Amino acid sequence: MRKKIFSWLVASPPRTLAIGFAFIIGLGSFLLHLPVASSSGEETRYIDALFTATSATCVTGLVVVDTGDHYSVFGQIVILTMIQIGGLGFMSMATLFAIFLKRRISLKERLILQEALNQSSIEGIVRLVRRVVLYALTIEAAGALLLTIRFLTNMSPGRAIYYGVFHAVSFFNNAGFDLMGGFSSLTGYADDPWVNLVSMALIVVGGLGFVVLSDLTDLRGGRRLSLHSKVVLTMSGSLILFGAIVVFAFEYANPGTMGPLNTGTKILTAFMQSVSPRTAGVNTLNLTDLRQATQFFIIILMFIGASPGSTGGGIKTTTFAALLGAVWAIIRGREDVVMFRYRLAQERVYKALTLTLLALALVLTATMILSTTEDHHFLMILFEVVSAFGTVGLSLGLTSDLTLFGKIVIMLMMFAGRLGPLTLGYALVPKRDKVLYREAEGKIIIG
Amino acid sequence: MRKKIFSWLVASPPRTLAIGFAFIIGLGSFLLHLPVASSSGEETRYIDALFTATSATCVTGLVVVDTGDHYSVFGQIVILTMIQIGGLGFMSMATLFAIFLKRRISLKERLILQEALNQSSIEGIVRLVRRVVLYALTIEAAGALLLTIRFLTNMSPGRAIYYGVFHAVSFFNNAGFDLMGGFSSLTGYADDPWVNLVSMALIVVGGLGFVVLSDLTDLRGGRRLSLHSKVVLTMSGSLILFGAIVVFAFEYANPGTMGPLNTGTKILTAFMQSVSPRTAGVNTLNLTDLRQATQFFIIILMFIGASPGSTGGGIKTTTFAALLGAVWAIIRGREDVVMFRYRLAQERVYKALTLTLLALALVLTATMILSTTEDHHFLMILFEVVSAFGTVGLSLGLTSDLTLFGKIVIMLMMFAGRLGPLTLGYALVPKRDKVLYREAEGKIIIG
Ligand SMILES: [K+]
Ligand SMILES: [K+]
């Protein structure tokens, strides 16, 4: 019987992942809805507990009630646990998928592999998951230590440690939950380089994906970076820099945001507002006061998101890179997408295109539907939907204003956004009918 | 000397086209700015005359002053002439490009062809242009006759003929200009099946492109439809039907638009509001009263636009079809995009992707910039920009409210939208380094 359940679970990893997430959300929402989970000692409405649990497990960070104000320490620890399980679970599974996909060449080989999975591979999986957990905990511990040192200057030691741990875990998992109260996120720390740099480092590292982290660690052993890692690092770096420049340019003179800040803080906030939408979801500027142009630009960053197999969401940097690669190839008059001297298979580019168009269709459809049920401006609704789909957690204030229907749609978007791109990336592997040799082919993970 | 000018002009057809359009716009703006062109007998501000001339020549239909109210009959005839030259000129040139592209295989062949163009091909061009003009004038005449018959019921004969001719030319060329006054477009005729059906027929036929019209005419001779024509007809039909259903669903109960109408008129307006955004630019419902969801949906239709080598704009139906084809291929687990049993070359799909992303980047950048200079909501500005880029001419009312800077940006968008996709489609032809035989390859025109 146990063997039967196990083979049913490994038969379709995306299904297993979806069931696992649903189970954690169910359990978490039950705990969060208890009176002991709220700071007032009153029961939390179930729909709000469910929303929080979904948001935490999908590491999104959209909140209908403020995490710091509304929940008790017990409630906050439940949330933190869900973030940790959601983030690590997803990261491990995504990494497994990537490895599984790498091997997945023919149907025959796949069948052999699946059989094999029942016997010898379990220890391989255990080893991999252990490594993912080790990496994550190490980085989180370092982040927690650095944040605690800073918080000790304005908090009691116990509180400083608690805040250090909570925010390090939240940021590394790109969860975007915080304890600052009043839906303020990190706006109170806008001019604090220490908090900002540590937070950004946690967010960026968490968003690179385990494969890249593993590659980077192996660099000391003289191994070279894989194509995938090169693409992820280049795209992430470029997006952060480009994003910061755009935010800086649009907000420089805005009296509601950067206007009153000194140049150093302007630069710091520009980088934070560029890093965080992909897809951490903390903010140091008041988002509602941003210019519409900046708000829309942030929507684009949220849509692109982080890298495959990371704690972040979105269509992923590599997907975006494949699209840009096609544009560049056509402009240069080349037939193939070439990155770092490797040709990308047509199938990868088509897949990137497919993922992007399906994501776009989902996001736009949800936005159009919500714009008939929620009495707000289109941009505000689009922002919220993309934030949910990209598991970002930034909001222009719609979350706490959502109708019941709106909450359900946003919850579904968080769930779809967390599992969708990965599942699509996993499911949409075309059968190869022929192998044609041109340049040596390089692989990057899409989705 | 004459020969030198001629070879300079044929050396780069896109440049020739751009110069030609700029020349017509310059001449038209001069005429429109004269006192004789306005109904009040006063001089029109040059920027407004220039805006109108750009809009007419690019067959867009965005207007800063109402065509019926502001301009005299002389002014209106100038506008009509620009529409006719702009529409036919573009249609002929685009058809020439398509034929030119079909033959454009190697650099060597291209050089031979270019040399050839100086001698024997001129008569070929003349013959083709003559055929384009013949088709257009025949269809316009039929449309004008049908519209005049209807207008005779509520106008004097002279006025009915004038209105019949003006609107037939405007609609066939997807120009969207009208003489109804008060920026009302065809809202006064929302429940008139005759006017609506004739207008829609003119718009749709004008938007199919000359190659398809020519193919359809040849059907009687027993020739079969080309792949291009099949794709264009299928996509156009699907988009019109799908668009009508979506508009109908969103607006059915909206008291500001369809609410008070009977079911027949509801269906008629749904079809008109689905046909017109791609890319005629007339409307029978009040656009500002549409739900935000419908307004956004119309933005998508405007972005897709009409078919290659037609009087319409946008990224084109075939471009959109290539993208959908890639999605479908990946979902089905196929390596190649197959349409009507023909495989689309990877290069065509990459090109479709490139065109779409560049158009998207241009439109979104312009919108973000305008949202810092124009004091209006993002959706309204996005609507205006896409309308300009797609040479559609629908507006949520921003046009007459534009700042000087805004007018200049919108004019540039009209110009870029008219020439950009074609020029890109022409310029972005990758060199083939190898020919690989798989399925027989079918060609469709992108851009
Ligand atoms: K997040
Ligand atoms: K138009």
Side-chain angles (χ1 to χ4, degrees):
Chain A
M1 184 62 198
R2 266 181 60 193
K3 204 167 177 186
K4 226 173 177 176
I5 292 175
F6 183 78
S7 51
W8 187 78
L9 287 175
V10 292
S12 169
R15 181 178 57 198
T16 308
L17 197 57
I19 292 173
F21 268 61
F23 178 75
I24 295 164
I25 291 170
L27 185 65
S29 65
F30 171 75
L31 293 174
L32 285 181
H33 129 276
L34 298 176
V36 66
S38 79
S39 56
S40 66
E42 282 166 39
E43 210 171 71
T44 303
R45 280 203 306 164
Y46 185 71
I47 180 75
D48 292 340
L50 183 63
F51 194 96
T52 308
T54 308
S55 182
T57 309
C58 297
V59 293
T60 306
L62 286 175
V63 286
V64 278
V65 294
D66 185 82
T67 316
D69 297 339
H70 180 84
Y71 289 106
S72 65
V73 171
F74 170 76
Q76 289 165 3
I77 289 173
V78 169
I79 290 172
L80 195 65
T81 312
M82 282 189 285
I83 291 172
Q84 189 63 279
I85 296 174
L88 281 183
F90 185 81
M91 209 172 173
S92 320
M93 284 301 275
T95 310
L96 280 173
F97 282 18
I99 289 167
F100 191 57
L101 278 179
K102 234 183 214 168
R103 292 198 199 139
R104 196 183 182 186
I105 300 152
S106 69
L107 184 67
K108 207 172 156 193
E109 273 194 62
R110 216 167 73 213
L111 287 172
I112 295 167
L113 196 78
Q114 264 178 355
E115 282 208 300
L117 217 62
N118 280 328
Q119 288 146 4
S120 65
S121 260
I122 298 175
E123 58 183 283
I125 293 175
V126 171
R127 210 182 317 130
L128 180 87
V129 172
R130 201 185 291 153
R131 203 168 160 209
V132 170
V133 173
L134 180 75
Y135 273 65
L137 293 185
T138 309
I139 297 167
E140 285 173 2
L145 184 69
L146 291 171
L147 287 178
T148 300
I149 290 172
R150 168 62 184 85
F151 288 140
L152 277 171
T153 63
N154 62 342
M155 292 177 193
S156 68
R159 197 177 159 93
I161 293 171
Y162 180 52
Y163 271 48
V165 170
F166 188 97
H167 293 103
V169 172
S170 175
F171 295 163
F172 174 75
N173 287 293
N174 274 268
F177 280 84
D178 68 86
L179 302 177
M180 302 307 175
F183 297 103
S184 68
S185 193
L186 288 189
T187 47
Y189 292 86
D191 58 353
D192 187 319
W194 186 278
V195 168
N196 275 275
L197 293 176
V198 173
S199 305
M200 282 195 267
L202 284 167
I203 292 167
V204 170
V205 170
L208 292 177
F210 177 73
V211 174
V212 177
L213 294 183
S214 180
D215 252 25
L216 285 173
T217 322
D218 291 347
L219 272 185
R220 282 182 311 180
R223 289 256 297 273
R224 290 175 56 196
L225 282 179
S226 67
L227 174 64
H228 176 74
S229 294
K230 283 184 193 165
V231 172
V232 164
L233 292 171
T234 313
M235 277 308 296
S236 302
S238 312
L239 280 169
I240 290 170
L241 187 64
F242 178 70
I245 291 169
V246 172
V247 172
F248 187 83
F250 277 135
E251 296 301 321
Y252 187 86
N254 185 344
T257 58
M258 277 188 198
L261 307 175
N262 63 46
T263 309
T265 309
K266 277 186 167 118
I267 294 173
L268 200 61
T269 52
F271 270 96
M272 188 47 142
Q273 259 60 229
S274 167
V275 164
S276 160
R278 306 182 29 257
T279 62
V282 295
N283 53 289
T284 54
L285 293 176
N286 196 337
L287 299 178
T288 47
D289 290 336
L290 293 174
R291 288 188 204 282
Q292 291 186 113
T294 317
Q295 291 172 346
F296 185 76
F297 181 72
I298 286 179
I299 291 176
I300 299 174
L301 291 180
M302 296 196 294
F303 187 74
I304 298 172
S307 300
S310 76
T311 55
I315 60 165
K316 305 292 179 322
T317 53
T318 48
T319 308
F320 188 58
L323 299 185
L324 290 187
V327 172
W328 186 236
I330 289 290
I331 288 176
R332 294 278 311 274
R334 297 280 179 80
E335 202 177 326
D336 284 309
V337 176
V338 175
M339 291 176 179
F340 297 102
R341 304 192 168 199
Y342 282 96
R343 178 175 63 83
L344 232 59
Q346 168 185 304
E347 166 243 318
R348 294 275 143 164
V349 180
Y350 284 16
K351 197 157 134 182
L353 173 60
T354 303
L355 187 64
T356 306
L357 285 185
L358 291 180
L360 206 56
L362 183 66
V363 161
L364 296 181
T365 307
T367 305
M368 285 196 270
I369 290 171
L370 282 186
S371 78
T372 66
T373 65
E374 316 297 305
D375 189 22
H376 286 285
H377 281 297
F378 194 83
L379 187 65
M380 191 176 184
I381 299 169
L382 180 66
F383 195 100
E384 189 84 9
V385 169
V386 174
S387 178
F389 175 79
T391 70
V392 181
L394 297 176
S395 175
L396 296 180
L398 181 59
T399 328
S400 39
D401 239 25
L402 284 170
T403 61
L404 178 64
F405 177 80
K407 283 177 186 170
I408 293 169
V409 171
I410 293 295
M411 277 193 283
L412 290 174
M413 289 303 293
M414 291 195 269
F415 203 72
R418 177 83 285 203
L419 297 177
L422 180 67
T423 307
L424 282 175
Y426 176 81
L428 302 179
V429 181
K431 298 152 208 99
R432 278 156 229 275
D433 25 0
K434 271 177 221 178
V435 182
L436 301 160
Y437 289 98
R438 290 182 280 193
E439 293 175 68
E441 195 189 325
K443 280 194 199 299
I444 61 168
I445 308 162
I446 303 288
Chain B
M1 183 64 197
R2 266 180 61 192
K3 206 167 176 184
K4 226 173 179 177
I5 292 175
F6 182 77
S7 50
W8 186 77
L9 288 175
V10 291
S12 167
R15 181 178 58 199
T16 307
L17 197 57
I19 292 172
F21 269 61
F23 177 76
I24 294 163
I25 291 170
L27 185 64
S29 65
F30 171 75
L31 293 174
L32 285 181
H33 129 277
L34 296 176
V36 66
S38 79
S39 56
S40 65
E42 283 165 40
E43 210 172 72
T44 303
R45 280 202 305 163
Y46 185 71
I47 181 75
D48 293 339
L50 183 63
F51 194 96
T52 307
T54 308
S55 182
T57 309
C58 298
V59 292
T60 306
L62 286 174
V63 285
V64 279
V65 294
D66 185 83
T67 316
D69 298 339
H70 179 84
Y71 289 106
S72 65
V73 172
F74 170 76
Q76 290 165 4
I77 289 174
V78 169
I79 290 171
L80 196 65
T81 311
M82 283 189 284
I83 291 173
Q84 190 63 279
I85 296 174
L88 281 183
F90 185 80
M91 209 171 174
S92 319
M93 283 302 274
T95 310
L96 280 174
F97 281 18
I99 290 167
F100 190 56
L101 277 180
K102 233 183 215 168
R103 292 197 200 140
R104 195 184 183 186
I105 301 153
S106 69
L107 184 68
K108 206 173 157 195
E109 274 195 62
R110 215 167 75 214
L111 288 172
I112 295 168
L113 196 78
Q114 265 180 356
E115 281 210 300
L117 217 62
N118 281 327
Q119 286 145 8
S120 64
S121 259
I122 297 174
E123 58 183 284
I125 293 174
V126 171
R127 209 182 316 129
L128 180 88
V129 172
R130 200 186 291 155
R131 203 167 161 209
V132 170
V133 173
L134 182 75
Y135 272 65
L137 292 186
T138 309
I139 298 167
E140 285 173 1
L145 184 68
L146 291 170
L147 286 178
T148 300
I149 291 171
R150 167 62 184 85
F151 289 140
L152 277 172
T153 62
N154 62 343
M155 291 177 194
S156 69
R159 196 176 159 96
I161 293 170
Y162 180 51
Y163 271 49
V165 171
F166 189 96
H167 292 103
V169 172
S170 175
F171 296 163
F172 175 75
N173 288 293
N174 275 267
F177 280 83
D178 68 86
L179 301 177
M180 301 309 176
F183 297 103
S184 67
S185 193
L186 287 189
T187 48
Y189 292 87
D191 59 351
D192 188 319
W194 187 277
V195 169
N196 275 275
L197 293 176
V198 173
S199 304
M200 282 195 267
L202 284 167
I203 292 167
V204 170
V205 170
L208 292 177
F210 178 72
V211 174
V212 177
L213 294 183
S214 180
D215 251 26
L216 285 172
T217 323
D218 290 345
L219 272 185
R220 281 181 313 180
R223 288 256 298 274
R224 290 174 57 197
L225 282 179
S226 67
L227 174 64
H228 176 75
S229 294
K230 283 184 192 166
V231 173
V232 164
L233 291 171
T234 313
M235 277 308 296
S236 302
S238 312
L239 280 170
I240 290 170
L241 187 63
F242 178 71
I245 292 170
V246 172
V247 172
F248 187 82
F250 278 134
E251 295 302 321
Y252 187 85
N254 184 345
T257 58
M258 279 189 196
L261 306 175
N262 64 46
T263 309
T265 308
K266 277 186 167 117
I267 294 173
L268 200 61
T269 53
F271 271 95
M272 189 46 142
Q273 258 61 228
S274 167
V275 164
S276 160
R278 304 181 31 258
T279 62
V282 296
N283 53 290
T284 55
L285 293 176
N286 195 335
L287 299 178
T288 47
D289 290 336
L290 293 174
R291 288 188 203 281
Q292 291 186 113
T294 318
Q295 291 172 346
F296 185 76
F297 182 72
I298 287 179
I299 290 177
I300 298 174
L301 292 180
M302 296 196 294
F303 187 74
I304 298 171
S307 301
S310 77
T311 55
I315 60 164
K316 302 296 177 320
T317 54
T318 48
T319 308
F320 188 58
L323 298 185
L324 290 186
V327 172
W328 186 235
I330 288 290
I331 288 176
R332 294 279 310 274
R334 297 280 180 79
E335 203 179 326
D336 284 308
V337 176
V338 176
M339 291 175 179
F340 297 102
R341 305 194 168 198
Y342 283 96
R343 178 175 64 84
L344 233 60
Q346 167 186 304
E347 166 243 318
R348 293 274 143 166
V349 180
Y350 285 15
K351 197 159 136 181
L353 174 60
T354 302
L355 187 63
T356 306
L357 285 185
L358 291 181
L360 207 54
L362 183 66
V363 161
L364 296 182
T365 306
T367 305
M368 286 195 270
I369 290 170
L370 282 186
S371 78
T372 65
T373 64
E374 315 298 305
D375 189 22
H376 286 285
H377 281 297
F378 194 83
L379 187 65
M380 190 176 185
I381 298 169
L382 180 66
F383 195 100
E384 189 84 8
V385 170
V386 175
S387 178
F389 176 80
T391 69
V392 181
L394 297 176
S395 175
L396 297 179
L398 181 60
T399 328
S400 38
D401 240 24
L402 285 171
T403 60
L404 178 64
F405 177 79
K407 282 177 187 170
I408 293 169
V409 171
I410 292 295
M411 278 193 283
L412 289 174
M413 289 302 294
M414 292 196 269
F415 202 72
R418 178 80 287 200
L419 297 177
L422 179 67
T423 308
L424 281 174
Y426 175 82
L428 302 178
V429 182
K431 298 151 207 98
R432 277 157 230 274
D433 24 0
K434 270 176 221 180
V435 181
L436 301 159
Y437 288 100
R438 291 183 282 193
E439 294 174 68
E441 196 190 323
K443 281 196 197 301
I444 61 169
I445 308 161
I446 303 289

